[in-house]
Amino acid sequence: QVQLVESGGGLVQAGGSLRLSCAASGRTFSMYAVAWFRQAPGKEREFVARTRWSEASTSYADSVKDRFTISEDNAKNMLYLQMNSLKPEDTAVYYCAAGTSFGEYQYWGQGTQVTVFS
């Protein structure tokens, strides 16, 4: 069992940066595929970025590539999402997730709101 708690969301002007954090308790992150998703008002939840420490594998949605960076600190059981050059269309609730494989995420956080204004 894994419990996930996101933090770091907020209100930021377009072009600015935020770093989201996801703290995990229970089993260590290194055992899981981990990812960030987001859901904007009136839209479906969408994939943002994923990584898996054991495979040194990382991938991003095209919409955030070269602007966002996913990273994890297994010693601290933390997952991060560094978001640069933010755009109003990045406004959403951001969720971290963990699972046994990419595409199968059994554990989800409660989400943190990111609002980007122009």
Side-chain angles (χ1 to χ4, degrees), residues 80-97:
Y80 303 102
L81 185 68
Q82 178 65 44
M83 307 186 295
N84 299 328
S85 302
L86 282 161
K87 304 175 181 180
E89 52 262 45
D90 295 318
T91 295
V93 177
Y94 284 71
Y95 301 89
C96 67

Side-chain angles (χ1 to χ4, degrees), residues 5-73:
V5 178
E6 303 95 336
S7 61
L11 187 65
V12 63
Q13 191 169 20
S17 299
L18 282 175
R19 188 176 82 153
L20 304 184
S21 299
C22 177
S25 59
R27 295 187 174 182
T28 59
F29 259 151
S30 61
M31 298 178 62
Y32 295 94
V34 290
W36 288 97
F37 287 78
R38 67 186 181 185
Q39 187 167 20
K43 296 186 177 181
E44 293 188 354
R45 185 171 60 196
E46 65 174 0
F47 164 76
V48 175
R50 69 184 190 191
T51 189
R52 187 161 196 168
W53 178 82
S54 62
E55 299 176 7
S57 172
T58 302
S59 65
Y60 298 90
D62 287 344
S63 59
V64 306
K65 201 172 295 183
D66 299 325
R67 299 189 298 122
F68 290 11
T69 303
I70 188 172
S71 62
E72 56 183 322
D73 184 335

